[in-house]
Amino acid sequence: MSIKIKLILGIGLLFLMILLLSTVGIKNITALKTDTENILADNYNTMKYCENMIAALDAIQQNANGLPVFEKNLELQKMNVTEPGEREATGQISQRMVQLKATPSDANLHLLIRKDISRIMEVNMAAIQRKSDIAKETAKTGNTWIVISSTLCFLFGMTLLINLPGNIANPVRELTASIKEIAAKNYSQRVHYRSKNEFGELAESFNTMAEKLEEYNNSNLSKILVEKMRIETLINNMHEPVIGLDENKIVLFINNEALKISGLRPDDIIGKPAGEIALNNDLVRSLVYDLSETQKTDILPSAPLKIYADNKESYFEKEVVNITIKPTGEREKRLIGHVIILKNITPFKELDFAKTNFIATVSHELKTPISSIKMSLLLLENQNTGHVNAEQRQLIESIKEDSNRLLKITGELLNMSQVETGNIQLNIQQSNPLQILEYALEAVKVQAEQKQISLIVDKEEDLPEVKADTEKTAWVLINFLTNAIRYSQQSGQIHISIQQLSDKVQFSVKDDGQGIDSRYRAKIFNRYFQVPGSAKTGTGLGLAISKEFIEAQGGHIGVNSEIGMGSTFFFELVKAH
Ligand code: ADP
């Protein structure tokens, strides 16, 4: 039976019981009332009339005028004849009344009338007695009915009181406990409630839901396990060493390649803090030393690592991928670990070495013939060698320009190969910034004049000396100035400034040329990089070599530029004192 019907029936029956109880009560009280009213109306009034008639008779006997009172009460009594025998007695009194009017002092007649009155009174007394007994009986029956219906009501009410709250609360309690279990991921929880009411249906739906959740959970778990195994196999079969750490730098996994190059066994590393392993393992130390610094960036490639692997020296590029997740319902991303991947770049390194050696050899070999071409040109320009006409002079000029460019290019290539092989020979000493500036200005003077560009110098007084290789620094400044002249308009202006910055001295070259697009600004110091669309006269090596030269001297190089607003290239060198 459904809870709704149970409630309707329970409350409805209680309602009926109350109705029954009140009906029984009202009915019995009404019966009692009728009984007493009957006594009052039928018998009490008759007794009163009889008493009045006796009093009137007494008055008549003493010759007083009692007749009217007697007649009046007799008339009233005639209208209130209710008991058997009462009518006859009343009739006799009426007859004797006629005689009494004729002979009011007839004592015998008085006696007879009194007798009749007494009979009426006796009959009524008996009736009062009888009716009082009936009223008593009515009250008794009423009491019995009230007791019966109250007992019934009480029993029914008690049954409801004992059963109904439990009937509703018990299944709710069981369901609440089961829902809590499900919330705690105990999906095997079921509700054992078999009634055919709403709770039965609810329990059935709950069990179906729990079953589905369990099925979903199990299927997901097995799927996740398969996925985990797949990823583990994938990582293990990668040719690149991979190490995974959690947010506390505890090693979660390491693949075979990483084990091979580190010389460790899985038991030595998995589940252990990376810092602890790093104490005894150089490779792990170099892999994890900067992990906390890279927490903000997602991927940060660092300088190549030289590791002895595959029976030779190998080069690896370290890449740290920070694993961040956004937990469900949260806004902030959270770091949950790092994956360190080592890319084997040995073949590229080998090719790079080969290329550098080739460039070094070729540029070195080219230098001698180019120098001899320049020498021959000098001889050709000499009057003693013979007369050259204007056309020939132009050709000689053009050959001179080209050979100068060739010499510059071979010079740059040679510099670059020196940088790449780590063979830069720096002669760092206390140098005067103004001397470097003058040297550079002298070198670009003619070039600037040809384009009618004015070189405006802004230098501070009392500039301190810097720690620098004068020649290489001047080379960098010349490179800045040549670029500025090349990318400036005809008759433009180039501002050169030297100023002190706390413990450094800054050299900067500002032009009013086309500027550099922000997309290329970061790449401009890369080797062989040239901004797309710019004049392809150079090699794209000048700024790369400048960077190497300045950084090798402990300085810093950079550029500020906006497209259409010109560029400011600068470098800073450490003060000598
Ligand atoms: P390059 O020999 O090609 O000049 P650099 O390394 O000196 O090689 O310069 C690299 C690139 O940077 C150039 O190709 C040019 O596009 C850009 N660049 C350098 N200096 C400037 C400048 N002052 N204004 C605009 N672009 C410049």
Side-chain angles (χ1 to χ4, degrees):
M1 196 191 290
S2 77
I3 296 287
K4 191 180 169 191
I5 294 180
K6 260 189 197 170
L7 278 174
I8 291 175
L9 280 182
I11 295 167
L13 268 169
L14 259 184
F15 185 72
L16 277 180
M17 285 295 192
I18 292 166
L19 213 66
L20 176 79
L21 198 63
S22 14
T23 316
V24 169
I26 290 168
K27 200 175 153 232
N28 284 298
I29 289 166
T30 315
L32 263 179
K33 192 178 154 225
T34 317
D35 287 351
T36 44
E37 268 175 4
N38 279 347
I39 294 172
L40 202 72
D42 298 352
N43 310 106
Y44 177 78
N45 288 344
T46 300
M47 296 295 280
K48 199 129 184 91
Y49 304 148
C50 289
E51 270 175 19
N52 290 344
M53 281 192 284
I54 290 170
L57 266 183
D58 287 345
I60 293 166
Q61 230 172 5
Q62 284 159 22
N63 294 325
N65 190 14
L67 212 56
V69 178
F70 190 92
E71 279 181 321
K72 188 183 160 209
N73 281 286
L74 184 61
E75 277 313 304
L76 288 169
Q77 168 56 25
K78 274 184 192 166
M79 285 186 288
N80 194 31
V81 173
T82 50
E83 305 305 324
E86 200 177 337
R87 185 169 299 282
E88 292 79 39
T90 310
Q92 283 221 329
I93 294 173
S94 295
Q95 284 169 18
R96 291 198 171 116
M97 181 63 207
V98 179
Q99 292 170 10
L100 191 70
K101 273 184 187 167
T103 52
S105 53
D106 185 344
N108 195 32
L109 205 54
H110 273 272
L111 198 66
L112 287 172
I113 290 172
R114 280 182 202 275
K115 266 189 183 168
D116 290 335
I117 292 171
S118 297
R119 222 173 77 218
I120 292 171
M121 285 176 85
E122 269 167 25
V123 167
N124 275 283
M125 284 294 281
I128 285 172
Q129 185 61 46
R130 200 183 68 245
K131 284 180 183 171
S132 158
D133 288 347
I134 290 171
K136 265 190 206 157
E137 196 54 40
T138 310
K140 217 169 129 190
T141 320
N143 270 349
T144 314
W145 277 114
I146 287 170
V147 167
I148 290 171
S149 38
S150 312
T151 315
L152 275 177
C153 280
F154 176 78
L155 286 177
F156 186 72
M158 276 307 274
T159 319
L160 273 185
L161 189 75
I162 293 165
N163 291 322
L164 202 60
N167 257 340
I168 295 170
N170 292 347
V172 170
R173 199 179 314 123
E174 199 180 333
L175 259 170
T176 313
S178 301
I179 289 168
K180 277 185 187 161
E181 284 294 314
I182 293 279
K185 295 197 175 137
N186 178 10
Y187 299 121
S188 58
Q189 180 70 27
R190 296 288 180 276
V191 182
H192 305 288
Y193 193 77
R194 298 265 165 263
S195 291
K196 288 242 174 295
N197 57 20
E198 287 92 333
F199 286 121
E201 277 171 37
L202 192 63
E204 212 176 293
S205 310
F206 176 88
N207 287 344
T208 316
M209 179 196 76
E211 208 171 304
K212 292 208 165 153
L213 276 175
E214 193 176 17
E215 191 183 291
Y216 177 74
N217 186 48
N218 288 344
S219 70
N220 266 7
L221 204 70
S222 59
K223 251 192 220 160
I224 290 166
L225 282 175
V226 172
E227 281 308 313
K228 187 175 172 266
M229 270 154 65
R230 204 200 306 272
I231 290 168
E232 274 173 3
T233 319
L234 199 100
I235 292 173
N236 259 338
N237 285 315
M238 275 171 76
H239 292 302
E240 281 150 352
V242 181
I243 300 176
L245 307 165
D246 71 4
E247 69 273 34
N248 301 317
K249 300 203 195 90
I250 307 279
V251 180
L252 295 175
F253 59 83
I254 176 164
N255 73 351
N256 294 336
E257 280 298 316
L259 286 174
K260 211 157 56 175
I261 61 163
S262 63
L264 291 165
R265 285 173 302 133
D267 294 349
D268 298 336
I269 183 162
I270 292 176
K272 305 225 165 105
E276 207 175 273
I277 303 156
L279 293 176
N280 300 316
N281 192 296
D282 291 344
L283 176 67
V284 176
R285 192 179 318 132
S286 54
L287 291 183
V288 300
Y289 80 98
D290 59 347
L291 273 190
S292 49
E293 290 165 30
T294 61
Q295 279 193 0
K296 283 188 185 71
T297 49
D298 270 353
I299 296 171
L300 192 113
S302 51
L305 297 165
K306 207 190 233 174
I307 299 165
Y308 192 80
D310 296 337
N311 297 324
K312 60 173 184 186
E313 274 196 340
S314 300
Y315 290 87
F316 290 90
E317 203 172 73
K318 182 175 95 174
E319 198 174 281
V320 178
V321 182
N322 290 330
I323 314 293
T324 51
I325 55 155
K326 204 190 262 179
T328 323
E330 285 183 26
R331 283 166 177 229
E332 293 292 305
K333 275 191 176 178
R334 195 149 52 87
L335 181 86
I336 57 157
H338 316 267
V339 173
I340 303 168
I341 304 163
L342 293 177
K343 280 195 207 149
N344 193 341
I345 51 162
T346 319
F348 300 107
K349 271 277 171 194
E350 283 166 357
L351 280 176
D352 201 39
F353 278 135
K355 177 214 75 185
T356 310
N357 283 338
F358 175 75
I359 290 175
T361 318
V362 170
S363 43
H364 186 77
E365 292 302 322
L366 282 177
K367 259 192 147 178
T368 326
I370 297 168
S371 302
S372 71
I373 292 172
K374 282 191 80 176
M375 191 61 134
S376 306
L377 284 172
L378 271 179
L379 287 173
L380 267 179
E381 277 178 328
N382 195 325
Q383 297 288 333
N384 296 337
T385 323
H387 179 73
V388 280
N389 61 28
E391 214 172 315
Q392 286 166 332
R393 181 161 298 282
Q394 229 178 357
L395 283 172
I396 290 171
E397 274 307 313
S398 139
I399 297 170
K400 207 168 147 191
E401 246 174 56
D402 285 343
S403 49
N404 274 343
R405 259 186 48 209
L406 266 176
L407 206 63
K408 185 180 170 256
I409 291 171
T410 44
E412 278 185 1
L413 286 172
L414 211 58
N415 271 337
M416 196 64 229
S417 48
Q418 269 186 7
V419 164
E420 285 184 358
T421 48
N423 289 340
I424 326 175
Q425 266 137 32
L426 291 172
N427 179 20
I428 298 181
Q429 56 192 5
Q430 289 191 15
S431 313
N432 184 350
L434 294 180
Q435 198 186 333
I436 297 171
L437 175 71
E438 266 159 37
Y439 185 77
L441 286 175
E442 191 58 37
V444 299
K445 204 167 76 186
V446 182
Q447 242 179 305
E449 274 167 11
Q450 277 172 357
K451 245 180 141 180
Q452 287 148 21
I453 288 173
S454 30
L455 302 171
I456 301 160
V457 178
D458 171 20
K459 56 187 179 209
E460 273 181 22
E461 294 298 319
D462 305 325
L463 278 169
E465 294 200 311
V466 287
K467 277 193 210 162
D469 178 320
T470 316
E471 205 186 308
K472 299 264 188 301
T473 312
W475 190 95
V476 175
L477 198 56
I478 293 170
N479 191 55
F480 278 6
L481 287 167
T482 331
N483 278 345
I485 295 169
R486 194 187 301 158
Y487 297 108
S488 284
Q489 314 287 341
Q490 191 81 15
S491 321
Q493 283 187 342
I494 293 174
H495 292 262
I496 304 124
S497 89
I498 309 181
Q499 53 180 334
Q500 269 197 74
L501 301 172
S502 61
D503 61 337
K504 288 188 174 149
V505 173
Q506 190 192 61
F507 292 71
S508 66
V509 175
K510 182 176 178 301
D511 62 57
D512 50 10
Q514 63 204 37
I516 302 158
D517 195 324
S518 57
R519 279 179 292 166
Y520 307 120
R521 225 175 292 145
K523 292 186 187 161
I524 199 160
F525 293 98
N526 290 355
R527 287 167 205 171
Y528 307 108
F529 180 81
Q530 292 182 302
V531 173
S534 65
K536 292 275 183 285
T537 42
T539 52
L541 280 174
L543 289 176
I545 296 169
S546 304
K547 186 168 187 286
E548 296 287 348
F549 278 175
I550 295 299
E551 285 179 358
Q553 295 176 67
H556 166 68
I557 196 165
V559 61
N560 295 319
S561 180
E562 284 300 328
I563 194 95
M565 307 281 286
S567 318
T568 307
F569 281 86
F570 65 86
F571 62 83
E572 290 156 13
L573 290 172
V574 187
K575 275 201 263 181
H577 301 292

